[in-house]
């Protein structure tokens, strides 16, 4: 909107200057089911993530080595 860019460190410094801090829970939720999380990570996540590429797409334009 204002065409202003900030780095991650710049945003962090600005938020700290205004009294903001990282929102980190002090403890885990009571409702958390560690077994269900492990099953999800083992079975569901690989399907969602998809296979890894074994090759990288090449550039459409070829480049020549510099002379000199």
């Amino acid at each position: 909107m204002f065409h202003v860019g900030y780095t991650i460190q710049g945003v962090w410094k600005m938020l700290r200057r205004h009294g903001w801090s990282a929102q980190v829970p002090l403890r885990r939720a009571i409702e958390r089911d560690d077994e269900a999380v492990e099953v999800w990570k083992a079975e569901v996540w690989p399907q969602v993530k998809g296979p890894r590429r074994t090759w990288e797409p090449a550039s459409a334009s070829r480049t020549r080595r510099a002379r000199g």
Side-chain angles (χ1 to χ4, degrees):
M1 183 173 174
F2 298 106
H3 303 287
V4 177
Y6 287 101
T7 63
I8 294 174
Q9 291 96 359
V11 172
W12 177 246
K13 287 179 183 179
M14 185 171 54
L15 291 172
R16 294 285 296 180
R17 190 179 315 137
H18 292 284
W20 290 69
S21 65
Q23 300 295 309
V24 180
L26 295 176
R27 54 189 159 81
R28 289 192 178 193
I30 295 172
E31 300 87 5
R32 181 181 168 107
D33 185 1
D34 289 327
E35 291 178 15
V37 170
E38 292 301 320
V39 169
W40 186 89
K41 283 174 25 179
E43 296 177 8
V44 178
W45 176 241
Q47 295 173 1
V48 173
K49 186 176 178 184
R52 290 184 61 191
R53 288 186 178 182
T54 57
W55 57 274
E56 289 293 323
S59 174
S61 63
R62 300 201 178 257
T63 57
R64 294 182 183 169
R65 290 186 177 257
R67 295 182 187 176

